[in-house]
Amino acid sequence: MLPRTPLLFIGWSLCLVACSLMAPKFERPTLSVTGIELVNGNLLQQHFRVKFNIQNPNDRALPVSGLHAALSVAGENIAQGQNERAFVVPAKGDVEFDMMITANMALALLKLGHVMDNRADTIAYDLSGAASVDLPFLHDLPFHQTGSFFTQGNAITL
């Protein structure tokens, strides 16, 4: 008779190997901004509808329960928002959805004015956040997009 401890060790090892072979292959979906629309606002606070697209390259549907995002310009956080509406991205498909983001453009203009006074050629922006996903092996799908606005004289372009 073999001692009980080695048998348990061998049994658990076989279970772990079997589970790892059966785990589904999962490719990370891509999330991108497809549009921004000013809904309303005043000097201190503006509300934008930001349209996103999630592409799911996997062969299983992706249930999303919410999303949060923040936008920084020239290192200063100027906008944030969240969406708690659930939706499903179909297998091998994509979905467009929107969320409201609240911004402080007065702060952004002050920051951008300072950068433009220094004759900078570009102004860096950073969009980051995460989509909450209802899958046992993936709870948050983070995203991070960076880029620059280009300045020429007093104009700012993407």
Side-chain angles (χ1 to χ4, degrees):
M1 279 263 174
L2 288 174
R4 189 176 175 113
T5 304
L7 286 177
L8 285 174
F9 177 74
I10 292 170
W12 279 110
S13 297
L14 289 174
C15 285
L16 287 174
V17 169
C19 286
S20 69
L21 292 175
M22 294 174 54
K25 182 183 174 204
F26 184 78
E27 290 183 50
R28 188 167 289 280
T30 57
L31 186 138
S32 58
V33 176
T34 60
I36 300 174
E37 172 190 355
L38 177 64
V39 176
N40 62 34
N42 56 35
L43 179 63
L44 297 177
Q45 191 175 61
Q46 301 78 37
H47 301 282
F48 293 91
R49 178 174 290 115
V50 179
K51 294 184 180 190
F52 291 90
N53 180 276
I54 293 183
Q55 295 178 340
N56 182 7
N58 298 291
D59 58 359
R60 65 185 329 168
L62 182 68
V64 177
S65 60
L67 179 96
H68 66 272
L71 174 68
S72 296
V73 174
E76 193 73 39
N77 186 1
I78 64 161
Q80 55 195 358
Q82 64 183 23
N83 175 3
E84 298 298 331
R85 290 180 304 197
F87 58 92
V88 176
V89 184
K92 304 280 187 194
D94 67 312
V95 164
E96 284 202 359
F97 66 96
D98 60 345
M99 67 182 278
M100 296 301 291
I101 289 186
T102 302
N104 183 342
M105 293 307 288
L107 176 64
L109 291 174
L110 286 173
K111 188 70 169 179
L112 294 177
H114 174 70
V115 171
M116 290 180 74
D117 285 345
N118 291 336
R119 308 268 187 232
D121 292 334
T122 61
I123 300 169
Y125 73 85
D126 181 82
L127 177 68
S128 60
S132 299
V133 179
D134 288 332
L135 291 176
F137 54 90
L138 181 69
H139 297 289
D140 278 336
L141 177 62
F143 60 89
H144 186 211
Q145 182 176 335
T146 59
S148 295
F149 299 111
F150 297 98
T151 62
Q152 290 182 330
N154 289 331
I156 300 173
T157 58
L158 285 173

